[in-house]
C-alpha cells in the first residue's frame, strides 16, 4: 500500500506515473487521478512459473527477470524526471546498469534488502535463490543510484555497514499509513480475551513462538482466543496445527486466511492485544503500525526497525525475538491490566498519527523530492 499512498500524496504536486506487472484497482487509481500502466506478463512466464527443482528455478527465474527488465527499461527510456524503484529487483538493476546518465535522479526505496534477510533463513528456505548474486546486485545498485530512502534509521545504519554506503546518500522517510482507515472503533462485547496476529503464517514471522506462548497461556486462562489473519501454509502451519490439536486448542485458535485491506480494521477492533512476533529482520512493520493506529496495545519483537515503530517501547511493548517465556509474560501483563491496555493504545494512536499519517509525512516527502529536482 505504500506505493499507492505515495502516488496519492505526490500526485497533486508532480506528474506521476506508475508501471507495474501486478493487478491494480482501476477505480481506486482513477478516482485519485493517478496515471498508471499495467504491463502484460509475457506468456512464457506463465508456462515456466511452476517449474520445480532449485537448478531449474534459477534458470527460469533468470529468464523471467530478463523479460521483465527489458519491458520496464523500454518503458522508462521514453520518460524523464525522477525514477524510483521499490527495493532492488532485476528491472532496477538493468535500468541503473544501462542508463548511467539517469542514475543521479534515480531513487531506491529500500524496505528489506536480501543481504539482511539471508542470515535469518534456513538452507531449505534459500533453495532456488542465488544469494551471492542477489547481494552483489544490491551492493552495485545502492552504489549506482543517486538516493536511497528507508522507513527506519535502523535500516539506514544497516545499509551503511553492510554495503559500505555513505550516510548522506540515505534518507529516512517512514512508510505511509492511512490513519483514517485504521482508526479506533467500538469493540463489541466478548467473554474472550482476543489476541490478534496479522501476517504470513511462517517460521520467520515467529508463529511457532506465538503458538507455544499461547499454549502456555491457555493453561492459565480459559477465556483466551488467538486469531491469525493471513495466508497460512507450509511446514510451520503443519507443525503448529499438530501442537494445537495435541493441546485440545482447536476451538481457541482461528485461521481466517487472506483478508481484504478494507476489512482489516474490523479485526483490529475486535482484538484486545495485537502480537507481532517476527524473527526475521523488518525495517518497518505495517501490522505494528496498523494496530497502533487502531488504538490497540501492540506486543512486538525487538528486531530491526520495529522498536522505532513502537517508539522504543513508549507506545507499545517489546519482547525478545523467539523468547516464549518473555512473550508469555508480556501478554499476561496486558491480560490482567485493562487500564494499561487503554493507556498504551491511546499513546500508540497518537504516536502513529504524529509520525506515520499522510498529513504528517506529506511535507517531508515533498521536501525530499523537491531537493533532488533542484
Amino acid at each position: 500500500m505504500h506505493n499507492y499512498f505515495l502516488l496519492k500524496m505526490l500526485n497533486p504536486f508532480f506528474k506521476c506515473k506508475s508501471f507495474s506487472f501486478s493487478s491494480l484497482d482501476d477505480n481506486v487509481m482513477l478516482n485519485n487521478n493517478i496515471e498508471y500502466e499495467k504491463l502484460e506478463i509475457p506468456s512464457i512466464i506463465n508456462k515456466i512459473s511452476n517449474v520445480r527443482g532449485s537448478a531449474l528455478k534459477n534458470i527460469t527465474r533468470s529468464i523471467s527477470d530478463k523479460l521483465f527488465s527489458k519491458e520496464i527499461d523500454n518503458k522508462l527510456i521514453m520518460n524523464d524526471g525522477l525514477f524510483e524503484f521499490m527495493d532492488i529487483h532485476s528491472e532496477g538493476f538493468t535500468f541503473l546498469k544501462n542508463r548511467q546518465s539517469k542514475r543521479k535522479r534515480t531513487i531506491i526505496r529500500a524496505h528489506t534488502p536480501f543481504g539482511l534477510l539471508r542470515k535469518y533463513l534456513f538452507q531449505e528456505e534459500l533453495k532456488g535463490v542465488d544469494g551471492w548474486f542477489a547481494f552483489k546486485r544490491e551492493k552495485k545498485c545502492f552504489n549506482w543510484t543517486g538516493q536511497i530512502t528507508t522507513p527506519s534509521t535502523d535500516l539506514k545504519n544497516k545499509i551503511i555497514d553492510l554495503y559500505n554506503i555513505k550516510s548522506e546518500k540515505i534518507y529516512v522517510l517512514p512508510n505511509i499509513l492511512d490513519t483514517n482507515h485504521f482508526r479506533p472503533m467500538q469493540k463489541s462485547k466478548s467473554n474472550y480475551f482476543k489476541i490478534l496476529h496479522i501476517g504470513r503464517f511462517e517460521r520467520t514471522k515467529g508463529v511457532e513462538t506465538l503458538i507455544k506462548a499461547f499454549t502456555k497461556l491457555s493453561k492459565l486462562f480459559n477465556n483466551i482466543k488467538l486469531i491469525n489473519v493471513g495466508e497460512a501454509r507450509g511446514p510451520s502451519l503443519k507443525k503448529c496445527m499438530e501442537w494445537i490439536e495435541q493441546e485440545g486448542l482447536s476451538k481457541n485458535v482461528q485461521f481466517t486466511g487472506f483478508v481484504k485491506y478494507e476489512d482489516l480494521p474490523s479485526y483490529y477492533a475486535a482484538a484486545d492485544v495485537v502480537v507481532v512476533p517476527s524473527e526475521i529482520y523488518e525495517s518497518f512493520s505495517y501490522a505494528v503500525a496498523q494496530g497502533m493506529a487502531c488504538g490497540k496495545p501492540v506486543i512486538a519483537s525487538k528486531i530491526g526497525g520495529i522498536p522505532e515503530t513502537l517508539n522504543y517501547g513508549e507506545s507499545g511493548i517489546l519482547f525478545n525475538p523467539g523468547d516464549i517465556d518473555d512473550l508469555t509474560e508480556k501478554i499476561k501483563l496486558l491480560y490482567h491490566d485493562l487500564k494499561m491496555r487503554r493507556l498504551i493504545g491511546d499513546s500508540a494512536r497518537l504516536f502513529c498519527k504524529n509520525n506515520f499519517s499522510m498529513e504528517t509525512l506529506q511535507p517531508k516527502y515533498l521536501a525530499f523530492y523537491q531537493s533532488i529536482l533542484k
Side-chain angles (χ1 to χ4, degrees):
M1 291 305 296
H2 172 80
N3 298 356
Y4 162 68
F5 285 112
L6 176 63
L7 290 168
K8 183 179 178 181
M9 193 167 66
L10 297 179
N11 204 48
F13 305 92
F14 301 101
K15 183 180 179 181
C16 303
K17 185 170 183 177
S18 173
F19 295 95
S20 176
F21 283 100
S22 61
S23 297
L24 297 168
D25 188 321
D26 289 356
N27 292 326
V28 170
M29 302 300 272
L30 292 173
N31 288 341
N32 289 283
N33 298 314
I34 296 173
E35 184 181 358
Y36 78 96
E37 184 174 344
K38 183 178 182 296
L39 304 176
E40 293 299 321
I41 298 176
S43 58
I44 189 174
I45 301 301
N46 294 322
K47 294 178 182 178
I48 65 177
S49 59
N50 294 320
V51 170
R52 297 183 182 278
S54 58
L56 281 175
K57 271 190 175 181
N58 274 335
I59 295 170
T60 55
R61 183 171 182 174
S62 177
I63 294 170
S64 63
D65 281 354
K66 287 180 180 178
L67 290 170
F68 283 135
S69 301
K70 185 178 180 181
E71 183 72 13
I72 289 286
D73 197 46
N74 288 338
K75 294 290 183 181
L76 294 184
I77 196 173
M78 305 300 294
N79 290 268
D80 206 353
L82 301 182
F83 302 87
E84 182 161 346
F85 292 91
M86 294 297 122
D87 285 310
I88 296 172
H89 302 291
S90 59
E91 57 270 24
F93 174 76
T94 300
F95 178 80
L96 287 165
K97 182 180 178 182
N98 296 340
R99 312 296 168 198
Q100 295 185 29
S101 63
K102 298 182 184 293
R103 288 179 182 175
K104 286 186 178 181
R105 289 197 169 190
T106 299
I107 305 156
I108 291 176
R109 175 63 174 178
H111 286 106
T112 312
F114 174 76
L116 281 175
L117 292 181
R118 61 179 179 175
K119 72 175 184 178
Y120 296 94
L121 300 172
F122 292 159
Q123 277 303 118
E124 57 267 26
E125 293 168 330
L126 285 168
K127 284 182 179 177
V129 178
D130 189 337
W132 180 87
F133 175 73
F135 177 76
K136 291 294 182 182
R137 182 173 65 180
E138 285 179 344
K139 188 170 184 178
K140 286 182 178 180
C141 287
F142 281 141
N143 277 284
W144 284 338
T145 194
Q147 296 81 27
I148 302 163
T149 65
T150 67
S152 65
T153 301
D154 186 83
L155 179 55
K156 174 178 178 174
N157 293 334
K158 291 288 194 302
I159 290 174
I160 291 169
D161 294 339
L162 191 59
Y163 301 94
N164 194 26
I165 306 297
K166 293 180 180 179
S167 175
E168 56 268 25
K169 189 176 183 176
I170 308 174
Y171 303 79
V172 178
L173 293 168
N175 284 346
I176 307 160
L177 188 73
D178 186 351
T179 53
N180 294 317
H181 182 64
F182 293 100
R183 66 188 191 281
M185 297 166 62
Q186 186 67 37
K187 184 180 182 296
S188 57
K189 290 184 179 180
S190 172
N191 294 323
Y192 287 93
F193 180 85
K194 295 183 179 180
I195 302 166
L196 178 66
H197 168 256
I198 290 187
R200 299 189 306 278
F201 200 83
E202 298 175 356
R203 178 197 66 82
T204 55
K205 292 296 184 179
V207 295
E208 294 177 22
T209 297
L210 176 59
I211 293 297
K212 288 179 179 178
F214 183 77
T215 299
K216 295 184 71 171
L217 290 163
S218 297
K219 293 175 181 177
L220 300 173
F221 314 113
N222 59 9
N223 68 329
I224 61 171
K225 278 193 173 184
L226 173 62
I227 297 93
N228 296 285
V229 173
E231 189 175 7
R233 64 179 184 182
S236 282
L237 176 62
K238 183 179 179 181
K239 191 183 296 183
C240 289
M241 289 303 294
E242 289 175 356
W243 294 339
I244 291 166
E245 290 172 8
Q246 287 171 6
E247 297 293 335
L249 296 173
S250 297
K251 292 182 179 179
N252 298 78
V253 182
Q254 178 185 355
F255 292 90
T256 68
F258 174 78
V259 171
K260 291 182 179 179
Y261 175 81
E262 53 266 30
D263 297 328
L264 285 175
S266 63
Y267 284 87
Y268 285 109
D272 291 285
V273 61
V274 177
V275 177
V276 183
S278 293
E279 292 171 24
I280 192 169
Y281 186 88
E282 295 203 31
S283 59
F284 180 99
S285 170
Y286 270 111
V288 169
Q290 290 169 1
M292 293 170 69
C294 290
K296 296 296 175 177
V298 178
I299 301 173
S301 300
K302 195 186 300 181
I303 193 169
I306 288 178
E308 287 176 61
T309 312
L310 273 179
N311 193 18
Y312 300 97
E314 294 297 317
S315 299
I317 295 179
L318 294 163
F319 80 100
N320 296 316
D323 191 329
I324 299 165
D325 292 335
D326 192 19
L327 177 56
T328 302
E329 290 303 313
K330 298 295 169 59
I331 296 174
K332 278 172 61 179
L333 180 68
L334 292 183
Y335 176 92
H336 287 298
D337 199 329
L338 174 60
K339 183 179 179 181
M340 180 182 286
R341 297 203 300 269
R342 287 175 175 169
L343 287 173
I344 292 175
D346 290 343
S347 172
R349 169 67 182 176
L350 182 62
F351 183 78
C352 205
K353 280 200 71 174
N354 290 341
N355 290 273
F356 310 134
S357 68
M358 190 178 296
E359 294 78 11
T360 297
L361 290 176
Q362 187 177 57
K364 296 180 181 179
Y365 272 87
L366 286 175
F368 167 69
Y369 289 107
Q370 287 167 346
S371 70
I372 302 172
L373 290 171
K374 290 178 182 178

